[in-house]
């Protein structure tokens, strides 16, 4: 829990208020969600199709963050269920480093275990077609990541606090 509080405090110091943009990074898409300016609500925004190179992805995200007046980023960190890190975590950390080189806004890496499953459960319960679920799952997963981070940033108890997070 200490790492969560330190990461939340660091983000709150760097960007004490305003909209946060959460990203659920996939190999083919990036789910995007936004908080409100008061950081109490997380809403799915869009799903971006990944480009063949990283630079266009980063530029699109920075432009979207600018347009939505985002003050910081929350990136889902895809740890394994046992808490260990694999190649996907390395890829996310690399993405965060590249984003930080292009944009000065603070970045919080947030443990995203089970967020895609939670998003799929919500979409399944809504009775959506497979095609419609596939179009929404990444942005809804980003909203789940952001929701858990908002709880920690506000200092409220969250089930994700048992998983941990860190500042990117």
């Amino acid at each position: 829990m200490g790492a969560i509080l330190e990461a939340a405090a660091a983000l709150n110091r760097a960007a004490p208020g305003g909209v946060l943009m959460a990203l659920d990074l996939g190999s083919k898409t990036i789910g995007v969600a936004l908080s409100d300016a008061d950081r109490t609500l997380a809403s799915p925004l869009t799903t971006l199709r990944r480009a063949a190179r990283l630079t266009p992805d980063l530029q699109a995200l920075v432009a979207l963050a600018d347009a939505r007046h985002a003050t910081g980023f929350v990136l889902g960190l895809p740890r394994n269920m046992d808490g260990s890190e694999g190649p996907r975590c390395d890829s996310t950390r690399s993405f965060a480093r590249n984003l930080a080189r292009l944009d000065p806004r603070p970045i919080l890496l947030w443990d995203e275990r089970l967020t895609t499953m939670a998003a799929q459960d919500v979409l399944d319960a809504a009775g959506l077609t497979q095609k419609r679920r596939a179009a929404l799952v990444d942005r809804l997963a980003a909203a789940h990541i952001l929701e858990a981070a908002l709880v920690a940033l506000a200092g409220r108890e969250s089930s994700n606090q048992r998983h941990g997070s860190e500042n990117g």
Side-chain angles (χ1 to χ4, degrees):
M1 187 151 137
I4 293 165
L5 298 177
E6 290 171 24
L11 182 63
N12 277 335
R13 280 191 304 275
V19 173
L20 292 177
M21 178 179 285
L23 307 175
D24 179 42
L25 303 174
S27 59
K28 296 179 183 177
T29 60
I30 301 173
V32 181
L34 292 176
S35 76
D36 61 328
D38 294 328
R39 296 184 179 174
T40 56
L41 300 172
S43 301
L45 179 64
T46 191
T47 303
L48 302 176
R49 173 97 19 221
R50 299 287 303 255
R53 293 184 17 243
L54 180 60
T55 301
D57 292 342
L58 296 171
Q59 291 170 337
L61 290 167
V62 169
L64 189 56
D66 288 343
R68 298 298 180 138
H69 308 289
T71 60
F73 296 97
V74 178
L75 273 65
L77 187 65
R79 288 189 169 126
N80 298 320
M81 289 306 294
D82 66 0
S84 64
E85 296 187 8
R88 290 184 56 225
C89 283
D90 294 340
S91 178
T92 298
R93 289 181 192 286
S94 176
F95 188 97
R97 283 190 300 274
N98 284 295
L99 179 58
R101 285 185 193 112
L102 187 64
D103 190 274
R105 285 173 267 232
I107 300 169
L108 173 68
L109 297 177
W110 189 261
D111 188 333
E112 69 167 51
R113 281 180 276 184
L114 301 177
T115 56
T116 300
M117 286 178 55
Q120 289 172 335
D121 289 347
V122 168
L123 296 172
D124 287 344
L128 300 175
T129 65
Q130 181 66 27
K131 183 177 180 181
R132 187 68 180 136
R133 283 194 307 258
L136 297 174
V137 70
D138 295 320
R139 68 184 82 168
L140 191 55
H144 280 278
I145 292 165
L146 184 54
E147 183 179 308
L150 292 175
V151 168
L153 289 169
R156 298 185 303 257
E157 185 65 27
S158 164
S159 63
N160 266 33
Q161 287 181 335
R162 291 187 291 270
H163 298 307
S165 72
E166 60 188 77
N167 196 6

